[in-house]
């Protein structure tokens, strides 16, 4: 049964009249203007969206639109860099506070110091010297600029800044921790400067050469040279093992950060 339409009043009556309610009828379910009998809200707003017409989320379930935001996407280098920072903080705390790791570190070093052929261990330790590591980095810079000067300009700048960050970080830490060396009473051995120089110089050189030699070919060479430097320093008694491991963690952060800045320009196709 259709409801009786509301009284619209006469044309000369300009005063608004309240809606006329009928007994037993709800205002929200009065008929529409067209008299079709379709219920609607009394304030003129559209009816509620039917359940079947709701938009679904990405998983195909009914939900909000747009979907609930997820965690922001971070570069792949962020989490390894965070891990390196946590490990470096832990090692530094143990070395500075004389914790159990430092005691174990010193016992291990005193047992292995002086082992191995002296000429070989000396040569391995010298891989971290400025006279050896920096010319390798300079050669990689020159080669990258020669192959593609315009595209490699940014990579070269990132590499130089990363190398400059090594003394800016290592020297203050050495003065702050002031750890004595294995075979001397002098301080300033943590973290290892030779290890840091080797890791950053060979690592950034590998990143510079990656567009031309492929990363899987150049980076393993840098890792081997860095590992060999640390082994030579420990076997010669120049550094405690934690001095070397702490430098690896510190410079791992630097290389991960610099690689994120270099890969944007290293995704190019080499010319020449």
């Amino acid at each position: 049964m259709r409801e009786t339409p509301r009284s619209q009043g006469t044309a000369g009556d300009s005063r608004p009249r309240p809606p006329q309610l009928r007994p037993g009828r709800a205002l929200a379910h009065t008929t529409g203007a067209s008299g079709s009998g379709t219920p609607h809200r009394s304030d003129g707003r559209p009816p509620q969206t039917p359940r079947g017409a709701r938009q679904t989320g990405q998983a195909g379930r009914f939900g909000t639109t747009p979907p609930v935001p997820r965690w922001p996407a971070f570069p792949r280098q962020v989490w390894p860099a965070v891990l390196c920072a946590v490990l470096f903080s832990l090692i530094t705390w143990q070395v500075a506070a004389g914790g159990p790791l430092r005691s174990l570190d010193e016992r291990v070093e005193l047992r292995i110091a002086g082992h191995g052929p002296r000429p070989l261990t000396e040569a391995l330790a010298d891989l971290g010297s400025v006279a050896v590591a920096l010319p390798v980095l300079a050669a990689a810079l020159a080669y990258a600029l020669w192959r593609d000067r315009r595209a490699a300009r940014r990579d070269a700048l990132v590499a130089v800044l990363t190398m400059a960050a090594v003394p800016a970080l290592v020297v203050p830490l050495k003065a702050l921790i002031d750890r004595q060396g294995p075979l001397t009473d002098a301080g300033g051995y943590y973290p290892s400067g030779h290890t840091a120089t080797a890791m950053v110089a060979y690592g950034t050189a590998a990143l510079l050469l990656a567009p031309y030699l492929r990363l899987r070919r150049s980076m393993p060479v840098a890792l081997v040279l860095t590992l060999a430097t640390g082994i030579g320093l420990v076997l010669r008694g120049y550094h405690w093992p934690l001095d070397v491991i702490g430098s690896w963690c510190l410079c791992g952060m630097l290389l991960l950060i610099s690689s994120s800045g270099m890969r944007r320009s290293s995704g190019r196709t080499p010319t020449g």
Side-chain angles (χ1 to χ4, degrees):
M1 179 182 294
R2 293 183 56 184
E3 300 178 9
T4 304
R6 295 182 189 173
S7 175
Q8 302 296 328
T10 61
D13 189 0
S14 60
R15 293 178 299 174
R17 296 182 180 181
Q20 302 298 321
L21 300 179
R22 296 187 62 184
R25 297 289 183 174
L27 181 62
H29 290 81
T30 57
T31 56
S34 62
S36 61
T38 303
H40 66 88
R41 297 180 63 92
S42 60
D43 56 2
R45 287 182 290 174
Q48 184 178 2
T49 304
R51 182 178 298 273
R54 294 180 185 175
Q55 298 183 5
T56 58
Q58 295 181 354
R61 295 176 296 179
F62 296 110
T64 59
T65 302
V68 178
R70 300 179 179 179
W71 287 100
F74 293 104
R76 290 181 299 175
Q77 295 85 355
V78 170
W79 299 118
V82 171
L83 178 60
C84 289
V86 171
L87 292 176
F88 178 73
S89 300
L90 175 62
I91 294 172
T92 304
W93 166 57
Q94 286 289 297
V95 171
L101 282 180
R102 175 169 176 167
S103 300
L104 177 62
D105 179 53
E106 293 175 351
R107 290 197 301 269
V108 170
E109 172 60 21
L110 293 177
R111 288 185 178 182
I112 64 176
H115 287 67
R118 183 184 179 91
L120 177 60
T121 55
E122 284 279 359
L124 295 180
D126 288 340
L127 290 174
S129 64
V130 174
V132 177
L134 287 189
V136 174
L137 177 58
L141 281 168
Y143 181 80
L145 292 173
W146 173 70
R147 288 293 302 269
D148 194 348
R149 178 173 300 179
R150 179 179 300 178
R153 192 174 300 167
R154 177 178 174 177
D155 292 356
L157 177 61
V158 173
V160 171
L161 292 177
T162 305
M163 195 70 236
V166 172
L169 294 174
V170 171
V171 172
L173 285 170
K174 283 178 173 289
L176 180 63
I177 305 300
D178 196 26
R179 187 184 189 186
Q180 293 182 350
L183 305 178
T184 180
D185 293 334
Y189 278 77
Y190 179 88
S192 170
H194 278 65
T195 303
T197 301
M199 187 171 185
V200 173
Y202 301 138
T204 51
L207 292 174
L208 286 168
L209 298 177
Y212 316 105
L213 304 179
R214 295 184 182 179
L215 187 64
R216 59 184 179 183
R217 295 181 181 178
S218 56
M219 189 55 71
V221 176
L223 293 176
V224 169
L225 292 174
T226 302
L227 181 63
T229 303
I231 292 175
L233 292 170
V234 171
L235 292 180
R236 287 302 309 138
Y238 294 152
H239 277 286
W240 307 98
L242 284 184
D243 299 346
V244 173
I245 298 174
S247 286
W248 286 344
C249 295
L250 177 64
C251 296
M253 289 188 296
L254 290 177
L255 287 177
L256 288 167
I257 294 172
S258 64
S259 65
S260 65
M262 295 172 68
R263 285 182 181 181
R264 296 188 184 95
S265 56
S266 295
R268 58 188 182 274
T269 302
T271 60

